[in-house]
Amino acid sequence: MSADALRQDPAELRRRIDTTKAHPARVYDVFLGGKDNYPADRNAAAAALAANPRGYLDVRHNRDFMRRAVTAMATDDGIRQFLDIGTGLPTQDNVHQIAQRIAPDTRVVYVDNDPIVLAHARALLTSGPEGRTDYIDADLADPAQILEHARETLDFDRPIALVLAAVLHFVEAPEAYDIVRELADALPSGSRLVLSHLTEDLNPEKIRAVQRTYTERGFTFVLRSRAEVERFFEENGFILDEPGVVPAHHWRPDGGAPLPEQVDAAYLDSLDDIEKVRYRDINDVTDADINVYGASGRKP
């Protein structure tokens, strides 16, 4: 599928990119300090940051949760196959880079439907020679298509880690549960589910203010409770790993959160608030900052 996707006509790909509307993958890229976004995305990120000035910590700690979870799957559980849906734009430490540092023969399939992610997909297809990466241009709402093409790279007779990081809060119920059920049913025994999800359980006023900025721009933005997040695991037979469904920064912290690039104070002062985010240290996080749950589970 990656070869087919990458052969798409560049002119057609450009026509698919709507720069007038913010897109979740590109807004996420803004918060990670990326460059592959447009004014509409930066405006959406700036509005969310104005609503919750420490909100960038949700994005950055979600990313660090994924780092720790993939590391745990590869190191402790011997997982050598990952299906990462809602991949987003390439950044530092993508799933295959994390996993292949531990096990070079790891196979990773990325899935996203944003054409700008597809335009940069070659950065996700840089597997070492012992492993393999692939990219599927598909929508989470079509799990059958995802599974069909994932089978071209992944062996569904061996355990697979399904990664759904910060993607299901863009899907309404019951569709979100139906999608996860179809994906989970295809996974063999020993597979894992890695999931993170925004919630209003922890700091409701802050995250509701952020939610309003996104829904005003036409985003679906569903905040789910701990019980609703647990349902993704329990209804599909996954046994939750310790410590269960917890705020992302409390999921097996290892002190390894990346430190920001150091820049001159005068230069930092010249930036606007959203541009400063990439230089913020996330290690000063408190419970009052976080509105995202993280969890993993095992399929018996």
Side-chain angles (χ1 to χ4, degrees), residues 23-158:
H23 188 285
R26 301 194 302 261
V27 175
Y28 195 81
D29 181 64
V30 175
F31 278 111
L32 292 177
K35 302 294 187 183
D36 301 310
N37 48 71
Y38 298 95
D41 307 305
R42 293 188 285 275
N43 290 340
L49 190 67
N52 179 13
R54 299 269 287 174
Y56 63 90
L57 289 165
D58 281 328
V59 176
R60 301 275 297 282
H61 275 281
N62 172 74
R63 190 75 187 178
D64 199 52
F65 157 74
M66 190 197 72
R67 175 189 64 81
R68 299 192 307 275
V70 170
T71 299
M73 301 296 104
T75 302
D76 302 335
D77 304 315
I79 297 294
R80 298 295 180 262
Q81 302 188 106
F82 292 81
L83 178 56
D84 179 10
I85 304 179
T87 300
L89 285 149
T91 183
Q92 293 181 342
D93 270 358
N94 300 292
V95 169
H96 74 282
Q97 293 163 320
I98 299 167
Q100 289 183 353
R101 278 200 297 267
I102 299 161
D105 60 339
T106 298
R107 294 185 168 209
V108 178
V109 172
Y110 294 105
V111 183
D112 209 294
N113 72 330
D114 182 4
I116 198 170
V117 178
L118 173 57
H120 293 273
R122 285 181 178 83
L124 297 171
L125 301 176
T126 55
S127 172
E130 298 174 56
R132 183 175 172 185
T133 61
D134 207 346
Y135 180 89
I136 300 173
D137 180 25
D139 195 317
L140 176 61
D142 190 355
Q145 182 190 12
I146 291 171
L147 292 168
E148 176 188 353
H149 291 292
R151 293 180 190 279
E152 298 172 10
T153 300
L154 305 179
D155 180 355
F156 277 72
D157 291 325
R158 297 171 53 229

Side-chain angles (χ1 to χ4, degrees), residues 83-261:
L83 178 56
D84 179 10
I85 304 179
T87 300
L89 285 149
T91 183
Q92 293 181 342
D93 270 358
N94 300 292
V95 169
H96 74 282
Q97 293 163 320
I98 299 167
Q100 289 183 353
R101 278 200 297 267
I102 299 161
D105 60 339
T106 298
R107 294 185 168 209
V108 178
V109 172
Y110 294 105
V111 183
D112 209 294
N113 72 330
D114 182 4
I116 198 170
V117 178
L118 173 57
H120 293 273
R122 285 181 178 83
L124 297 171
L125 301 176
T126 55
S127 172
E130 298 174 56
R132 183 175 172 185
T133 61
D134 207 346
Y135 180 89
I136 300 173
D137 180 25
D139 195 317
L140 176 61
D142 190 355
Q145 182 190 12
I146 291 171
L147 292 168
E148 176 188 353
H149 291 292
R151 293 180 190 279
E152 298 172 10
T153 300
L154 305 179
D155 180 355
F156 277 72
D157 291 325
R158 297 171 53 229
I160 296 168
L162 171 62
V163 181
L164 296 168
V167 64
L168 289 170
H169 45 246
F170 297 114
V171 185
E172 296 278 7
E175 184 183 10
Y177 293 101
D178 294 340
I179 289 168
V180 175
R181 184 178 303 110
E182 186 169 349
L183 292 167
D185 283 349
L187 300 179
S189 174
S191 292
R192 315 298 293 221
L193 174 60
V194 176
L195 187 153
S196 59
H197 201 296
L198 287 169
T199 182
E200 60 182 346
D201 287 354
L202 306 173
N203 300 288
E205 290 186 9
K206 292 179 180 179
I207 194 60
R208 286 173 190 157
V210 172
Q211 181 185 40
R212 284 192 294 273
T213 71
Y214 286 126
T215 56
E216 287 168 357
R217 287 165 171 79
F219 286 18
T220 297
F221 202 86
V222 182
L223 304 173
R224 291 189 168 96
S225 67
R226 176 184 275 111
E228 290 172 315
V229 174
E230 289 173 344
R231 183 180 162 191
F232 287 112
F233 293 87
E234 294 168 352
E235 285 192 353
N236 296 297
F238 288 93
I239 299 170
L240 276 165
D241 298 320
E242 292 295 332
V245 176
V246 296
H249 64 308
H250 287 314
W251 195 92
R252 304 188 192 181
D254 62 2
L259 295 172
E261 177 187 353

